[in-house]
Amino acid sequence: MTTEPAAATLTEPRVPRAAVESSAQHKLQANPAEKPEPATKSAGHVIVDSLAAHGVERTYVVPGESFLDVLDGLHASDIATIVCRHEGGAAYMAEADGKMNQRPGVAMVTRGPGAANAHVGLHTAWQDSTPMLLFVGLIPFAHRDREAFQEFDIKSWFDTGAKRVMVLDHAERASEIVAEAMFAAMSGRPGPVVVGLPEDVIRQQIDPALHPAIPVASGGMSSTDAIALRAALAESSRPLFVTGGNDWTQAAADQLTAWLERHHIPAAAEWRTQGTVPFDSPSYVGPIGYGRPRPTYDLLEETDLLVFVGTVPGDVITDGFVCRQDWSKKNFLVTVDPSLRGRSGAVSRQILAKPEAFVRDLAGIGLPAKAEWKAWTGRMRTEQQRFAALPPASPAPGRARMDTLMANLVPRLTEDAMVTFGAGEHTNWAHRYFPTRRYASMISARNGSMGYSVPSAIAASLAEPARRVVTIAGDGEFLMNGQELATAVQYGATPLVIVMDNQEYGTIRTHQERHYPSRVSGTQLKNPDFGLMARAFGGFGVTVTKDKDIPAALDAALAAIEEDGVFALIHLVVEQRVKAY
């Protein structure tokens, strides 16, 4: 085992959380002695002022000459500019930022190739219902439709994978378009919005007055909704709530948890959204999604009343539109999206409300707790506790094992620890064992996108520097965006990165063995020393091949984070075909 880190020099201090004023007008009036605003500003600078007025704290950027005026506006702004190494990484960071906040994450990339590289993050935001803005620098207005350098049709590219695609063709609308984009990303079912910025238009001088933020409706239960839900609960002997989506607040999560516990009603978590109802809650009965434990799979058929809050019964939850498809089933869907995009199965009633508005109204529904509810919840809770119980912490002889790592890591975690990950079988160790105790303590890509682990961990660490951030990456996905460790060092992000190296694309190998047994093709990998790579970037890195070395590696990695203020990476070389469940 190699444990010595290279000397790390941070090129910039940790970026502090920006103190953004509630509105541009308040900012101007806060100190009358300050220099007054100029009579005009460039549209690019007005865009930056508008983002700040909407509460944006950081933007994730791969620079391009097409939006230099916006970069210039960021120079004197309170918004932190996080310079990334690839547009895919920048887009993932913005998407993760949107998952953690009640406003969109923001990425900025250039035209053509830059926009193409960022598309992966946009698809993640679309399928995960994450509020996100992608600003794309464009060719000059006068060069349009002449096959100019890096020209592309932004609306044709993005129209089917974004809530709106907007182009700033009139400079004086710069602040209005920011307000409209923010509103579109957050209203209804949240999602990504693309804004094109022609490089000549953003240099034009305009009135610097800012467009006010557009209020986003949160809906709520009507009196008839409340009566219907109360009646359905009163008739039910096995109710189940399923939480999901990215549109929650901690207050709403706490309030829902208290209501469920008071009534002895169970709650499961949509795939990769654990933590809304805490891991330790007597009402929490586990995750539902691909590779889920069998007890929660059965829940969908056993329950006689299913209440989805913040999400709908889609492809993954229903195991490919198989579970819960009987039209006689009783399903209440709580979502502010009137189109119910992505849902399947019966709809007994839709309640048009964001989670916070629904839970506020739910708190007024009081019902006597039934003994059968308590027994039903208790049975499922016992199965979840058995499933999530940690394996032995004592190392076993031979090769390193993820079970041993998790058994030693979890007791070392802080109460508010959070985990991020991308896609692959390595994620199942987090699903099973990681103690998610608050909202947004599991940040992941529900569209199955690889390469998400490192960028999301960096965004989480920058947004929540006081929290312990852990990311679990597979060897296949790590190299897709592992270069963003340079961004972590540059801006002082300090995640703990676990790279589970089984020398293959494990999920695809599993499908391959199911359909083409003993014919391994196109799934095997030969990897570098990831611990050495981490040290080269300026963080702590250690490669572990023996199970007995795991506790010492964890101690050294956590010490590097806490004492040296650097990210730490544990490269865990494990056997193939060993699974979490």
Side-chain angles (χ1 to χ4, degrees):
M1 179 180 73
T2 305
T3 58
E4 67 279 6
T9 302
L10 301 184
T11 59
E12 295 184 23
R14 181 188 299 279
V15 177
R17 182 179 291 274
V20 181
E21 301 290 350
S22 61
S23 71
Q25 289 78 12
H26 176 75
K27 186 174 181 180
L28 291 174
Q29 296 168 6
N31 184 354
E34 289 182 358
K35 184 179 179 180
E37 286 284 346
T40 64
K41 278 188 175 183
S42 69
H45 283 225
V46 170
I47 286 169
V48 173
D49 291 346
S50 298
L51 291 172
H54 277 81
V56 173
E57 296 180 357
R58 61 190 61 81
T59 182
Y60 303 92
V61 170
V62 176
E65 65 272 24
S66 59
F67 63 103
L68 287 178
D69 196 77
V70 175
L71 291 176
D72 187 69
L74 288 167
H75 180 268
S77 172
D78 289 335
I79 298 174
T81 304
I82 309 301
V83 181
C84 305
R85 302 309 178 97
H86 188 273
E87 292 88 355
Y92 278 146
M93 290 184 206
E95 196 276 345
D97 194 286
K99 280 189 166 88
M100 292 181 285
N101 296 285
Q102 287 296 296
R103 50 109 186 100
V106 177
M108 295 182 178
V109 302
T110 196
R111 58 207 178 197
N117 286 340
H119 210 147
V120 65
L122 202 75
H123 184 264
T124 305
W126 175 260
Q127 288 221 317
D128 285 16
S129 301
T130 306
M132 172 186 171
L133 299 190
L134 177 66
F135 288 91
V136 181
L138 299 178
I139 62 168
F141 185 91
H143 294 179
R144 195 174 296 174
D145 298 324
R146 301 175 67 183
E147 193 60 28
F149 177 64
Q150 296 183 340
E151 181 177 6
F152 74 107
D153 187 332
I154 190 170
K155 293 199 173 185
S156 293
W157 275 29
F158 293 121
D159 250 346
T160 60
K163 291 187 70 178
R164 288 190 68 181
V165 180
M166 312 164 74
V167 178
L168 181 64
D169 282 343
H170 303 281
E172 65 274 11
R173 295 188 61 200
S175 185
E176 176 193 348
I177 278 187
V178 171
E180 290 284 355
M182 281 281 179
F183 172 77
M186 293 185 289
S187 62
R189 174 174 165 168
V193 174
V194 180
V195 181
L197 304 176
E199 66 175 279
D200 52 347
V201 175
I202 60 176
R203 291 196 299 264
Q204 294 176 21
Q205 295 293 306
I206 62 172
D207 184 336
L210 302 184
H211 193 289
I214 303 171
V216 175
S218 59
M221 272 201 285
S222 67
S223 57
T224 54
D225 288 335
I227 290 170
L229 181 58
R230 184 195 299 271
L233 286 165
E235 294 171 1
S236 171
S237 59
R238 298 183 306 279
L240 173 68
F241 279 59
V242 176
T243 63
N246 308 309
D247 215 9
W248 290 78
T249 64
Q250 186 60 52
D254 292 342
Q255 195 171 20
L256 176 63
T257 300
W259 188 91
L260 292 168
E261 291 178 356
R262 186 164 63 251
H263 292 88
H264 304 294
I265 292 176
E270 180 184 17
W271 191 51
R272 297 182 171 174
T273 64
Q274 292 161 234
T276 303
V277 175
F279 187 83
D280 302 320
S281 169
S283 283
Y284 178 63
V285 296
I288 293 180
Y290 288 140
R292 57 183 168 259
R294 178 55 55 172
T296 49
Y297 176 94
D298 293 341
L299 268 177
L300 291 179
E301 296 297 347
E302 289 182 43
T303 179
D304 59 7
L305 173 62
L306 197 52
V307 182
F308 281 83
V309 186
T311 187
V312 295
D315 179 11
V316 176
I317 289 179
T318 62
D319 200 30
F321 308 114
V322 172
C323 300
R324 200 72 183 181
Q325 299 301 296
D326 189 332
W327 295 111
S328 67
K329 299 291 187 181
K330 189 172 289 186
N331 299 334
F332 277 58
L333 309 185
V334 182
T335 168
V336 78
D337 174 19
S339 73
L340 290 177
R341 194 180 87 223
R343 67 95 191 157
S344 69
V347 181
S348 305
R349 192 177 189 94
Q350 180 185 9
I351 298 176
L352 281 168
K354 286 181 176 286
E356 186 171 33
F358 169 74
V359 173
R360 175 199 66 208
D361 299 336
L362 178 70
I365 297 179
L367 291 166
K370 299 181 181 180
E372 55 192 339
W373 289 356
K374 188 172 184 178
W376 157 251
T377 304
R379 173 172 69 85
M380 298 309 302
R381 177 62 185 166
T382 298
E383 292 174 348
Q384 162 61 16
Q385 287 177 306
R386 187 181 303 119
F387 174 73
L390 289 172
S394 299
R399 292 282 291 274
R401 300 166 64 245
M402 276 294 293
D403 277 359
T404 304
L405 184 139
M406 295 302 293
N408 282 271
L409 171 63
V410 170
R412 291 168 162 86
L413 294 173
T414 55
E415 187 74 11
D416 64 349
M418 63 190 303
V419 64
T420 82
F421 48 80
E425 290 183 337
H426 58 279
T427 66
N428 289 334
W429 274 272
H431 287 303
R432 182 169 187 174
Y433 298 122
F434 200 92
T436 49
R437 295 191 171 98
R438 56 177 287 188
Y439 172 62
S441 54
M442 179 177 284
I443 305 296
S444 184
R446 293 192 296 280
N447 69 334
S449 187
M450 298 179 70
Y452 188 84
S453 56
V454 171
S456 59
I458 293 169
S461 183
L462 292 176
E464 301 279 0
R467 294 176 69 180
R468 168 73 70 242
V469 177
V470 179
T471 193
I472 301 177
D475 53 327
E477 81 150 347
F478 175 76
L479 279 180
M480 293 184 179
N481 275 307
Q483 76 284 344
E484 298 299 346
L485 290 177
T487 307
V489 171
Q490 185 170 349
Y491 296 100
T494 58
L496 172 62
V497 181
I498 310 296
V499 182
M500 192 196 89
D501 180 0
N502 60 1
Q503 305 91 53
E504 66 179 354
Y505 288 115
T507 301
I508 310 307
R509 169 78 181 276
T510 295
H511 287 286
Q512 189 171 62
E513 293 288 359
R514 185 177 301 132
H515 299 289
Y516 303 94
S518 302
R519 292 178 61 82
V520 180
S521 175
T523 56
Q524 301 304 289
L525 300 172
K526 182 174 179 60
N527 294 314
D529 185 329
F530 295 126
L532 184 63
M533 180 184 295
R535 299 197 296 276
F537 276 113
F540 172 92
V542 57
T543 294
V544 178
T545 60
K546 301 296 184 183
D547 211 45
K548 65 182 177 63
D549 293 328
I550 287 177
L554 272 170
D555 287 339
L558 293 174
I561 292 172
E562 293 164 5
E563 298 170 14
D564 302 329
V566 297
F567 78 84
L569 183 148
I570 297 176
H571 175 197
L572 199 70
V573 184
V574 301
E575 291 185 12
Q576 292 188 334
R577 316 316 299 147
V578 177
K579 301 180 182 181
Y581 50 85

